[in-house]
Every structure is written in C-alpha cells, then in structure tokens.
Amino acid sequence: MYSELPPTEAPDDGGVTFTVLGPLEVLRAGVDFAPTTPKVLQLLAVLVMRPGKMVHIDTLIRELWSDNPPRTVRTTLHTYVYHLRRCIDQNRLAADGEKMLATKQSGYTFYIDPSQVDTYRFVRLQQRGHEHQDAGDHAGAADAYRAALDLWSGPPLANVHCGPILSAYRTELLEQRRSVLHLRIEAEITSGKHRELIGELRSLATGSPLDEALHGQLMRVLGRSGRRSDAMAVYRRLRSRLAGELGVEPCDDLQVLHRELISEGDHR
C-alpha cells in the first residue's frame, strides 16, 4: 500500500502527523493545523491518501468538482494549492511549503512519509495481528487488532466533504475496519473469551442487523456460554429480517451453526 520515499526527497517532518481515521487533522505537539477552508481540506485529504506519490491533476479536479468543474478550474485549483502551501509555511509544518507540496508536470506530490499517516500504523498493526494469528497466538493477535482499532476516533475523514475519489477511499477504510473488528472478536473467541463478548456483540449486531458474520459470532459465544436458546433466538430474528428485507436465507455457515445448536440440544 505504501512505498518509501527516495532518500534525496525524504521529508523534514518536524514531528508532524496526519490523521485520517476520524477527522482529518494535521498534528504537531498535539495541536491541529489542518486548513479550515473546505476545498483546501479536501485537496489535502487526497494528497494525504497518496503520501509521497504524484496525484494527477485530473484526479484532483474530479474529486473537487466531480463532473461539473468551473470554467477556470485549473486556476482555481492552483489557488487552493497556494493556500495549502501557505498553511504549511505559516504553521511551520515543513521547511519549505513548495518542496513539501511539489508541482510536477501532470500533478502534485505531497512529500510526507507514509509513517506520518495513521493509516500506515493501522495497516502495520493489522499485519502484526495476522502474524500472531498464524503463529497460534490468538491473545496476541487480539491485542494487535485492538490496538489497530484504537487508532480510530470516528468515521474516516469525518470533517471532509468527500467527492468520488475520497468516498471510495472512505468505503475501503470502513471495510478494513469491519474486517479487523471481526478478526479481533474471532481471536478472542478462539482464546477462550465467550461471556465477556456477549454484551459487545449484542450491541454490534443491533447496530448492523443484517451482518451475518456478527450474528454468527454472537450465536457462538451465547452457545458456548450455556445459552443455547438465546443463540437460537438470535438466528430466528436474523432469518426473519433477511427474508423480510432481502428475500434470502442465512448463509450456509449460519445454517450449519444453527443445526449444531439443535443437535446439541437433542443430545442432552
């Protein structure tokens, strides 16, 4: 996902970091220096999305104006770039705003290191969780996944008006968060936590009433906590909702889990 910058163009970051997993912030010593003008903030978000890589001018135009750019679109974009560089210089976010946000033949490159962006740490912790899981250390995997989720402070780019490029990026980030949450819960179930997860999973399932994976995890922790009838009730409610709203049956894994719960009762 990320590539290292050439040594000759490595940034002098001055302790500046960028948050995407929540409001877009430009932090130095705990103070947020993000621009407040909506279009300039939106421009910054696209550049931060691709740290150290050239972003084509057509991509920026599509994000900022979708299919309805103004007649003077390039002049207007240059004005937003000027204001972003001014923000960098005035707040001393880099030694030189023009070097940090460099003009290229067909676009702009924002010379920050990927490690300055919280998404980099999110991905690294996610990878660490996978490594623990592959080694059979489910408690360690759960800790790494939990640390990754703790980086989030709200919906991604919560303070940014998102056009088509950033909207797709936000959707991708939310899907990654959902995957890590599922993996964290799965690791905790495997490490023996059942009763401790019931409350959290009930809340998550209520918030995502059609999420079959969450409902399956809730059914399993209830079943393993001696609450088979509650687990079967979760299945019945989900099945009714899926049939009523989508006209489908629960997935095969849930049907197998339901049959196992029935069989478990028959053998008692």
Side-chain angles (χ1 to χ4, degrees), residues 170-260:
R170 177 189 278 173
T171 299
E172 177 189 346
L173 288 173
L174 286 170
E175 189 57 38
Q176 287 185 35
R177 184 186 184 280
R178 178 181 176 275
S179 174
V180 172
L181 177 62
H182 177 81
L183 289 167
R184 191 220 90 206
I185 293 170
E186 198 63 33
E188 291 189 337
I189 292 173
T190 307
S191 65
K193 291 185 178 180
H194 304 136
R195 289 181 176 83
E196 301 94 327
L197 290 167
I198 291 173
E200 179 185 6
L201 279 167
R202 279 201 183 279
S203 176
L204 290 169
T206 299
S208 301
L210 298 176
D211 190 320
E212 294 178 82
L214 281 175
H215 282 77
Q217 289 177 324
L218 176 57
M219 288 170 63
R220 284 163 57 206
V221 298
L222 285 168
R224 294 181 187 187
S225 300
R227 296 171 58 177
R228 188 177 65 90
S229 60
D230 289 341
M232 294 177 70
V234 169
Y235 179 84
R236 287 194 298 271
R237 284 194 297 271
L238 175 64
R239 184 184 183 192
S240 175
R241 188 180 286 271
L242 288 171
E245 297 189 23
L246 302 178
V248 298
E249 286 289 314
C251 66
D252 291 345
D253 287 347
L254 279 185
Q255 293 186 41
V256 169
L257 180 55
H258 183 241
R259 286 196 296 270
E260 288 174 352

XYZ file of all heavy atoms in Angstrom, residues 170-260:
723
model
N -12.973 6.213 1.598
C -13.632 6.097 2.904
C -14.329 4.743 3.032
O -14.242 4.084 4.071
C -14.648 7.237 3.067
C -15.449 7.173 4.348
C -16.577 8.197 4.324
N -16.129 9.518 4.691
C -16.882 10.609 4.619
N -18.108 10.514 4.130
N -16.427 11.779 5.016
N -14.999 4.306 1.966
C -15.662 2.999 1.975
C -14.654 1.879 2.186
O -14.890 0.935 2.948
C -16.427 2.785 0.656
O -17.426 3.803 0.527
C -17.089 1.418 0.613
N -13.502 1.990 1.516
C -12.442 0.984 1.666
C -11.942 0.935 3.114
O -11.760 -0.148 3.679
C -11.286 1.319 0.725
C -10.098 0.372 0.844
C -8.887 0.850 0.064
O -9.043 1.764 -0.781
O -7.785 0.336 0.309
N -11.734 2.093 3.716
C -11.253 2.137 5.101
C -12.275 1.531 6.058
O -11.917 0.795 6.985
C -10.941 3.576 5.500
C -9.692 4.207 4.880
C -9.619 5.694 5.227
C -8.432 3.494 5.343
N -13.549 1.839 5.861
C -14.597 1.291 6.726
C -14.658 -0.231 6.602
O -14.882 -0.934 7.595
C -15.950 1.914 6.382
C -16.148 3.365 6.841
C -17.420 3.947 6.228
C -16.210 3.444 8.369
N -14.456 -0.737 5.386
C -14.469 -2.183 5.185
C -13.265 -2.824 5.871
O -13.383 -3.903 6.466
C -14.463 -2.503 3.692
C -14.704 -3.974 3.376
C -16.011 -4.509 3.946
O -17.015 -3.769 3.946
O -16.025 -5.681 4.399
N -12.115 -2.152 5.830
C -10.941 -2.660 6.535
C -11.183 -2.680 8.043
O -10.789 -3.629 8.730
C -9.711 -1.803 6.221
C -9.157 -2.001 4.832
C -7.866 -1.224 4.631
O -7.069 -1.091 5.538
N -7.680 -0.704 3.432
N -11.822 -1.637 8.550
C -12.113 -1.599 9.991
C -13.063 -2.730 10.382
O -12.866 -3.398 11.400
C -12.738 -0.248 10.381
C -12.969 -0.131 11.892
C -13.727 1.131 12.270
N -13.818 1.222 13.709
C -14.678 0.567 14.468
N -15.564 -0.265 13.900
N -14.697 0.705 15.780
N -14.069 -2.949 9.564
C -15.016 -4.032 9.836
C -14.298 -5.375 9.858
O -14.561 -6.231 10.713
C -16.117 -4.024 8.776
C -17.149 -5.143 8.920
C -18.180 -5.071 7.802
N -19.113 -6.187 7.862
C -18.896 -7.381 7.318
N -17.767 -7.614 6.681
N -19.801 -8.336 7.413
N -13.371 -5.584 8.918
C -12.625 -6.831 8.856
C -11.761 -7.022 10.103
O -11.722 -8.118 10.681
C -11.737 -6.839 7.606
O -10.898 -7.967 7.590
N -11.076 -5.963 10.538
C -10.212 -6.063 11.720
C -11.050 -6.313 12.974
O -10.653 -7.087 13.853
C -9.352 -4.799 11.867
C -8.597 -4.798 13.197
C -8.350 -4.706 10.723
N -12.209 -5.671 13.057
C -13.091 -5.907 14.200
C -13.517 -7.370 14.252
O -13.496 -8.014 15.315
C -14.323 -5.003 14.103
C -15.392 -5.187 15.189
C -14.832 -4.862 16.565
C -16.613 -4.319 14.888
N -13.896 -7.911 13.101
C -14.292 -9.314 13.029
C -13.141 -10.230 13.449
O -13.332 -11.184 14.218
C -14.737 -9.651 11.602
C -15.098 -11.092 11.393
N -16.328 -11.611 11.744
C -14.384 -12.123 10.894
C -16.344 -12.912 11.464
N -15.175 -13.236 10.944
N -11.928 -9.920 12.966
C -10.761 -10.733 13.306
C -10.428 -10.642 14.792
O -10.031 -11.641 15.404
C -9.555 -10.286 12.461
C -9.608 -10.646 10.980
C -8.534 -9.895 10.204
C -9.460 -12.154 10.782
N -10.571 -9.444 15.363
C -10.291 -9.284 16.793
C -11.242 -10.119 17.638
O -10.828 -10.841 18.554
C -10.420 -7.813 17.179
C -9.897 -7.486 18.571
C -10.796 -6.498 19.273
N -11.828 -7.170 20.036
C -13.009 -6.639 20.340
N -13.343 -5.437 19.905
N -13.885 -7.320 21.045
N -12.524 -10.068 17.307
C -13.511 -10.846 18.050
C -13.263 -12.337 17.859
O -13.335 -13.125 18.812
C -14.936 -10.447 17.616
C -15.232 -9.004 18.055
C -15.969 -11.405 18.204
C -16.505 -8.430 17.485
N -12.943 -12.728 16.630
C -12.676 -14.140 16.342
C -11.475 -14.630 17.152
O -11.494 -15.745 17.706
C -12.419 -14.318 14.849
C -12.555 -15.747 14.351
C -13.962 -16.304 14.506
O -14.939 -15.545 14.394
O -14.070 -17.528 14.769
N -10.430 -13.810 17.243
C -9.246 -14.182 18.025
C -9.585 -14.314 19.508
O -9.079 -15.216 20.196
C -8.140 -13.148 17.824
N -10.446 -13.446 20.003
C -10.828 -13.515 21.417
C -11.700 -14.736 21.696
O -11.568 -15.370 22.751
C -11.540 -12.223 21.834
C -10.605 -11.026 21.855
C -11.231 -9.791 22.472
O -12.482 -9.701 22.496
O -10.471 -8.915 22.925
N -12.570 -15.073 20.754
C -13.379 -16.291 20.917
C -12.461 -17.511 20.968
O -12.601 -18.384 21.839
C -14.401 -16.428 19.765
C -15.466 -15.320 19.850
C -15.081 -17.797 19.805
C -16.413 -15.296 18.656
N -11.504 -17.559 20.036
C -10.585 -18.698 19.976
C -9.721 -18.799 21.228
O -9.359 -19.901 21.662
C -9.681 -18.592 18.727
O -10.503 -18.433 17.571
C -8.830 -19.844 18.550
N -9.399 -17.652 21.827
C -8.571 -17.661 23.039
C -9.376 -17.955 24.294
O -8.821 -17.973 25.395
C -7.824 -16.328 23.194
O -8.735 -15.266 23.408
N -10.695 -18.178 24.138
C -11.498 -18.634 25.263
C -12.444 -17.619 25.865
O -13.133 -17.920 26.841
N -12.518 -16.422 25.292
C -13.445 -15.411 25.818
C -14.815 -15.612 25.177
O -14.955 -15.537 23.956
C -12.923 -14.008 25.522
C -11.672 -13.639 26.305
C -11.282 -12.192 26.055
C -10.066 -11.801 26.874
N -9.656 -10.396 26.647
N -15.796 -15.854 26.002
C -17.160 -16.047 25.499
C -18.114 -15.081 26.189
O -18.657 -14.180 25.551
C -17.610 -17.502 25.719
C -16.676 -18.501 25.101
N -16.262 -19.640 25.749
C -16.062 -18.523 23.895
C -15.438 -20.312 24.977
N -15.303 -19.659 23.845
N -18.294 -15.264 27.478
C -19.231 -14.410 28.223
C -18.831 -12.934 28.130
O -19.699 -12.053 28.078
C -19.295 -14.845 29.686
C -20.014 -16.174 29.907
C -20.073 -16.556 31.380
N -20.858 -17.779 31.584
C -20.374 -19.002 31.438
N -19.087 -19.167 31.094
N -21.139 -20.056 31.634
N -17.514 -12.662 28.104
C -17.053 -11.276 28.072
C -17.467 -10.550 26.795
O -17.536 -9.319 26.758
C -15.515 -11.224 28.189
C -14.954 -11.842 29.451
C -14.564 -13.304 29.261
O -15.238 -13.999 28.466
O -13.598 -13.727 29.905
N -17.751 -11.314 25.736
C -18.045 -10.713 24.440
C -19.538 -10.554 24.168
O -19.916 -9.877 23.206
C -17.441 -11.572 23.323
C -15.914 -11.566 23.209
C -15.449 -12.679 22.280
C -15.429 -10.219 22.687
N -20.366 -11.139 25.000
C -21.802 -11.153 24.697
C -22.380 -9.748 24.583
O -23.076 -9.421 23.608
C -22.582 -11.977 25.760
C -22.227 -13.455 25.625
C -24.091 -11.774 25.594
C -22.814 -14.325 26.727
N -22.079 -8.885 25.554
C -22.641 -7.533 25.540
C -22.199 -6.742 24.319
O -23.021 -6.092 23.654
N -20.910 -6.803 24.022
C -20.386 -6.071 22.865
C -21.010 -6.586 21.574
O -21.420 -5.794 20.704
C -18.871 -6.205 22.801
C -18.263 -5.484 21.604
C -16.772 -5.707 21.453
O -16.205 -6.527 22.218
O -16.172 -5.072 20.566
N -21.098 -7.917 21.440
C -21.646 -8.473 20.205
C -23.135 -8.187 20.061
O -23.621 -7.968 18.941
C -21.370 -9.975 20.136
C -19.969 -10.343 19.658
C -19.666 -11.815 19.912
C -19.802 -10.021 18.169
N -23.871 -8.175 21.156
C -25.291 -7.798 21.070
C -25.427 -6.376 20.554
O -26.266 -6.080 19.699
C -25.958 -7.933 22.441
C -26.372 -9.350 22.802
C -27.448 -9.327 23.877
N -27.835 -10.633 24.313
C -28.692 -11.434 23.668
N -29.212 -11.034 22.512
N -29.016 -12.610 24.160
N -24.593 -5.470 21.076
C -24.641 -4.074 20.639
C -24.263 -3.947 19.167
O -24.930 -3.242 18.401
C -23.696 -3.241 21.504
O -23.646 -1.906 21.049
N -23.201 -4.635 18.745
C -22.767 -4.576 17.351
C -23.820 -5.159 16.409
O -24.081 -4.612 15.338
C -21.449 -5.331 17.184
C -20.209 -4.685 17.809
C -19.044 -5.656 17.794
C -19.835 -3.398 17.069
N -24.434 -6.273 16.818
C -25.456 -6.906 15.981
C -26.692 -6.024 15.860
O -27.325 -5.964 14.798
C -25.823 -8.276 16.545
N -27.012 -5.317 16.932
C -28.151 -4.386 16.884
C -27.872 -3.249 15.911
O -28.741 -2.823 15.152
C -28.439 -3.814 18.281
O -28.770 -4.890 19.164
C -29.590 -2.819 18.250
N -26.625 -2.756 15.921
C -26.249 -1.676 15.011
C -26.108 -2.111 13.572
O -26.196 -1.289 12.658
N -25.850 -3.403 13.346
C -25.710 -3.953 11.983
C -26.631 -5.162 11.854
O -26.179 -6.309 11.866
C -24.254 -4.352 11.714
O -23.390 -3.253 11.864
N -27.942 -4.916 11.747
C -28.918 -6.007 11.854
C -28.868 -7.035 10.738
O -29.474 -8.099 10.867
C -30.271 -5.265 11.870
C -29.993 -3.952 11.221
C -28.590 -3.598 11.574
N -28.149 -6.755 9.635
C -28.063 -7.710 8.533
C -26.661 -8.306 8.403
O -26.383 -9.017 7.430
C -28.470 -7.044 7.215
C -29.908 -6.522 7.144
C -30.145 -5.798 5.827
C -30.919 -7.643 7.316
N -25.787 -8.023 9.350
C -24.411 -8.523 9.298
C -24.393 -9.960 9.821
O -24.432 -10.201 11.021
C -23.497 -7.629 10.139
C -22.019 -7.951 9.935
O -21.676 -9.150 9.840
O -21.212 -7.013 9.879
N -24.300 -10.909 8.902
C -24.381 -12.316 9.278
C -23.157 -12.771 10.074
O -23.264 -13.614 10.968
C -24.556 -13.178 8.028
C -25.893 -12.931 7.325
C -26.051 -13.747 6.059
O -26.421 -14.931 6.158
O -25.786 -13.189 4.971
N -21.979 -12.204 9.762
C -20.770 -12.603 10.485
C -20.874 -12.241 11.962
O -20.549 -13.059 12.839
C -19.543 -11.941 9.860
N -21.341 -11.041 12.256
C -21.501 -10.624 13.650
C -22.531 -11.488 14.373
O -22.335 -11.888 15.520
C -21.922 -9.152 13.719
C -20.831 -8.098 13.525
C -21.444 -6.708 13.510
C -19.780 -8.195 14.622
N -23.626 -11.777 13.681
C -24.667 -12.601 14.307
C -24.153 -14.016 14.555
O -24.493 -14.636 15.566
C -25.927 -12.618 13.434
C -26.750 -11.365 13.550
N -26.403 -10.195 12.925
C -27.888 -11.113 14.245
C -27.309 -9.268 13.216
N -28.219 -9.792 14.001
N -23.341 -14.515 13.636
C -22.762 -15.840 13.841
C -21.851 -15.860 15.061
O -21.871 -16.813 15.848
N -21.039 -14.814 15.229
C -20.162 -14.743 16.394
C -20.981 -14.645 17.677
O -20.649 -15.268 18.688
C -19.217 -13.552 16.259
C -18.143 -13.750 15.195
C -17.265 -12.523 15.021
O -17.727 -11.390 15.113
N -15.980 -12.752 14.761
N -22.071 -13.875 17.644
C -22.934 -13.768 18.814
C -23.568 -15.112 19.153
O -23.621 -15.522 20.329
C -24.029 -12.709 18.573
C -25.079 -12.535 19.677
C -24.429 -12.202 21.020
C -26.090 -11.448 19.280
N -24.030 -15.826 18.135
C -24.606 -17.151 18.371
C -23.592 -18.092 19.016
O -23.908 -18.837 19.946
C -25.109 -17.752 17.046
C -26.366 -17.095 16.491
S -26.735 -17.639 14.796
C -27.020 -19.400 15.054
N -22.340 -18.021 18.548
C -21.319 -18.919 19.084
C -20.982 -18.621 20.535
O -20.871 -19.535 21.353
C -20.056 -18.838 18.213
C -20.230 -19.588 16.894
C -19.190 -19.193 15.874
N -17.834 -19.390 16.360
C -16.782 -18.693 15.919
N -16.949 -17.749 15.024
N -15.583 -18.958 16.391
N -20.832 -17.325 20.876
C -20.477 -17.020 22.269
C -21.633 -17.333 23.205
O -21.430 -17.760 24.349
C -19.994 -15.562 22.443
C -18.735 -15.321 21.627
C -21.063 -14.545 22.109
N -22.870 -17.140 22.731
C -24.027 -17.498 23.557
C -24.075 -19.006 23.758
O -24.281 -19.493 24.881
C -25.317 -17.005 22.896
C -25.587 -15.498 22.985
C -26.725 -15.095 22.044
C -25.930 -15.088 24.426
N -23.886 -19.754 22.668
C -23.900 -21.211 22.770
C -22.826 -21.734 23.701
O -23.067 -22.624 24.526
N -21.619 -21.173 23.607
C -20.513 -21.625 24.442
C -20.634 -21.141 25.883
O -19.894 -21.598 26.750
C -19.189 -21.154 23.834
C -18.892 -21.814 22.488
C -17.565 -21.352 21.916
N -17.377 -21.876 20.562
C -16.263 -21.743 19.867
N -15.224 -21.100 20.400
N -16.164 -22.247 18.637
N -21.547 -20.209 26.121
C -21.785 -19.734 27.490
C -22.983 -20.435 28.120
O -23.499 -19.997 29.155
C -22.010 -18.214 27.477
O -20.891 -17.534 26.952
N -23.455 -21.495 27.471
C -24.593 -22.239 28.014
C -25.930 -21.589 27.748
O -26.913 -21.889 28.452
N -26.001 -20.724 26.752
C -27.257 -20.012 26.467
C -27.722 -20.374 25.050
O -27.893 -19.533 24.182
C -27.043 -18.503 26.637
C -26.701 -18.138 28.067
C -26.276 -16.689 28.249
N -27.285 -15.754 27.815
C -27.161 -14.421 27.935
N -26.067 -13.912 28.490
N -28.115 -13.617 27.522
N -27.959 -21.669 24.861
C -28.327 -22.192 23.549
C -29.640 -21.596 23.047
O -29.764 -21.247 21.865
C -28.430 -23.720 23.621
C -28.626 -24.404 22.264
C -28.635 -25.916 22.442
N -29.775 -26.340 23.234
C -30.970 -26.658 22.714
N -31.141 -26.624 21.417
N -31.960 -27.037 23.492
N -30.627 -21.468 23.913
C -31.924 -20.932 23.478
C -31.789 -19.479 23.017
O -32.429 -19.061 22.040
C -32.948 -21.037 24.612
O -32.524 -20.298 25.743
N -30.941 -18.690 23.704
C -30.711 -17.306 23.271
C -30.022 -17.275 21.915
O -30.327 -16.425 21.066
C -29.847 -16.560 24.298
C -30.598 -16.260 25.585
O -31.848 -16.286 25.563
O -29.935 -15.997 26.603
N -29.076 -18.196 21.711
C -28.374 -18.265 20.425
C -29.348 -18.593 19.296
O -29.283 -17.999 18.208
C -27.269 -19.313 20.494
N -30.256 -19.506 19.540
C -31.235 -19.876 18.511
C -32.212 -18.737 18.256
O -32.673 -18.538 17.119
C -31.953 -21.154 18.924
C -31.013 -22.359 18.956
S -31.799 -23.880 19.524
C -32.880 -24.233 18.156
N -32.526 -17.964 19.289
C -33.403 -16.801 19.106
C -32.740 -15.757 18.216
O -33.403 -15.111 17.401
C -33.754 -16.202 20.464
N -31.416 -15.572 18.364
C -30.674 -14.656 17.500
C -30.807 -15.106 16.048
O -31.046 -14.288 15.149
C -29.181 -14.602 17.922
C -28.346 -13.869 16.867
C -29.033 -13.915 19.273
N -30.680 -16.398 15.810
C -30.793 -16.933 14.456
C -32.186 -16.684 13.883
O -32.323 -16.250 12.721
C -30.488 -18.432 14.459
C -30.604 -19.076 13.093
C -29.544 -19.032 12.196
C -31.787 -19.723 12.700
C -29.650 -19.619 10.939
C -31.890 -20.301 11.448
C -30.823 -20.244 10.571
O -30.921 -20.819 9.326
N -33.215 -16.930 14.679
C -34.600 -16.757 14.186
C -34.857 -15.297 13.809
O -35.470 -15.018 12.775
C -35.600 -17.221 15.242
C -35.666 -18.735 15.411
C -36.898 -19.149 16.208
N -36.879 -18.607 17.553
C -36.322 -19.207 18.607
N -35.693 -20.367 18.453
N -36.362 -18.651 19.807
N -34.391 -14.370 14.656
C -34.597 -12.940 14.350
C -33.862 -12.542 13.079
O -34.410 -11.816 12.239
C -34.138 -12.076 15.532
C -35.099 -12.075 16.715
C -34.766 -10.963 17.695
N -33.436 -11.127 18.284
C -33.200 -11.809 19.391
N -34.204 -12.419 20.030
N -31.979 -11.896 19.879
N -32.626 -13.001 12.940
C -31.858 -12.666 11.741
C -32.507 -13.265 10.502
O -32.638 -12.601 9.467
C -30.421 -13.185 11.874
C -29.542 -12.999 10.631
C -29.338 -11.523 10.317
C -28.203 -13.694 10.807
N -32.938 -14.521 10.592
C -33.567 -15.179 9.440
C -34.823 -14.431 9.007
O -35.055 -14.216 7.812
C -33.914 -16.618 9.795
C -34.475 -17.405 8.626
C -34.900 -18.797 9.029
N -35.359 -19.548 7.870
C -36.005 -20.695 7.941
N -36.262 -21.250 9.124
N -36.385 -21.315 6.835
N -35.629 -14.007 9.986
C -36.847 -13.270 9.677
C -36.536 -11.938 8.999
O -37.180 -11.555 8.011
C -37.642 -13.027 10.962
O -38.768 -12.214 10.720
N -35.500 -11.250 9.493
C -35.142 -9.951 8.911
C -34.586 -10.113 7.503
O -34.913 -9.344 6.597
C -34.129 -9.243 9.814
C -33.844 -7.802 9.382
C -32.836 -7.153 10.320
N -33.419 -6.827 11.597
C -34.025 -5.673 11.891
N -34.140 -4.750 10.945
N -34.505 -5.444 13.079
N -33.721 -11.112 7.301
C -33.165 -11.350 5.970
C -34.258 -11.687 4.963
O -34.244 -11.216 3.823
C -32.131 -12.488 6.021
C -30.799 -12.189 6.697
C -29.986 -13.469 6.863
C -30.000 -11.161 5.895
N -35.208 -12.512 5.392
C -36.305 -12.890 4.497
C -37.176 -11.688 4.169
O -37.572 -11.477 3.020
C -37.133 -14.003 5.134
N -37.481 -10.875 5.206
C -38.371 -9.738 5.013
C -37.762 -8.607 4.201
O -38.445 -7.972 3.391
N -36.454 -8.344 4.410
C -35.830 -7.190 3.764
C -35.095 -7.534 2.476
O -35.028 -6.711 1.562
C -34.873 -6.497 4.745
C -35.584 -5.918 5.972
C -34.671 -5.061 6.824
O -33.657 -4.553 6.293
O -34.957 -4.897 8.025
N -34.525 -8.740 2.412
C -33.714 -9.096 1.245
C -34.245 -10.303 0.484
O -33.800 -10.584 -0.628
C -32.264 -9.375 1.674
C -31.530 -8.239 2.394
C -30.140 -8.688 2.801
C -31.458 -6.992 1.521
N -35.175 -11.037 1.094
C -35.729 -12.222 0.442
C -34.732 -13.354 0.318
O -34.783 -14.127 -0.648
N -33.805 -13.476 1.300
C -32.793 -14.536 1.258
C -32.766 -15.272 2.590
O -33.251 -14.785 3.616
C -31.389 -13.972 0.955
C -31.357 -13.301 -0.414
C -30.934 -13.002 2.042
N -32.176 -16.460 2.557
C -31.946 -17.245 3.765
C -30.569 -16.904 4.338
O -29.704 -16.387 3.621
C -31.998 -18.742 3.431
C -33.393 -19.275 3.161
C -34.241 -19.355 4.424
O -33.743 -19.842 5.457
O -35.404 -18.910 4.373
N -30.339 -17.190 5.621
C -28.993 -17.003 6.175
C -27.966 -17.831 5.402
O -28.298 -18.842 4.782
C -29.129 -17.501 7.621
C -30.583 -17.338 7.938
C -31.304 -17.606 6.652
N -26.702 -17.387 5.465
C -25.640 -18.066 4.724
C -25.444 -19.492 5.245
O -25.911 -19.845 6.331
C -24.330 -17.286 4.830
S -23.639 -17.217 6.497
N -24.742 -20.300 4.469
C -24.542 -21.713 4.813
C -23.901 -21.888 6.188
O -24.289 -22.778 6.955
C -23.677 -22.400 3.747
C -24.413 -22.548 2.422
O -25.648 -22.395 2.412
O -23.742 -22.813 1.410
N -22.897 -21.049 6.514
C -22.213 -21.186 7.800
C -23.182 -21.013 8.970
O -23.111 -21.753 9.963
C -21.078 -20.163 7.922
C -19.884 -20.499 7.037
O -19.831 -21.643 6.534
O -19.017 -19.632 6.846
N -24.083 -20.045 8.841
C -25.052 -19.827 9.924
C -26.050 -20.976 10.012
O -26.448 -21.372 11.113
C -25.793 -18.505 9.709
C -25.079 -17.221 10.153
C -25.995 -16.028 9.990
C -24.612 -17.320 11.592
N -26.451 -21.504 8.869
C -27.380 -22.638 8.894
C -26.733 -23.852 9.548
O -27.375 -24.570 10.322
C -27.842 -22.963 7.477
C -28.719 -21.866 6.862
C -29.287 -22.258 5.522
O -29.714 -23.394 5.322
N -29.311 -21.320 4.584
N -25.449 -24.088 9.260
C -24.720 -25.195 9.902
C -24.630 -24.969 11.397
O -24.863 -25.886 12.199
C -23.315 -25.338 9.282
C -22.454 -26.289 10.116
C -23.402 -25.831 7.844
N -24.323 -23.737 11.812
C -24.233 -23.412 13.234
C -25.575 -23.631 13.926
O -25.641 -24.175 15.042
C -23.769 -21.961 13.398
C -23.611 -21.424 14.827
C -22.676 -22.294 15.651
C -23.093 -19.982 14.785
N -26.649 -23.244 13.251
C -27.992 -23.428 13.812
C -28.307 -24.912 13.987
O -28.827 -25.331 15.027
C -29.023 -22.763 12.894
C -30.421 -22.836 13.399
N -31.437 -23.465 12.719
C -30.978 -22.376 14.555
C -32.561 -23.385 13.418
N -32.310 -22.720 14.532
N -27.957 -25.715 12.982
C -28.204 -27.155 13.089
C -27.381 -27.774 14.221
O -27.851 -28.681 14.920
C -27.890 -27.840 11.754
C -28.942 -27.597 10.671
C -28.804 -28.573 9.521
N -27.553 -28.421 8.806
C -27.396 -27.596 7.751
N -28.415 -26.857 7.329
N -26.228 -27.542 7.132
N -26.158 -27.288 14.413
C -25.320 -27.787 15.506
C -25.942 -27.464 16.860
O -25.895 -28.285 17.792
C -23.911 -27.179 15.411
C -23.087 -27.728 14.254
C -21.760 -26.998 14.095
O -21.556 -25.968 14.784
O -20.932 -27.441 13.274
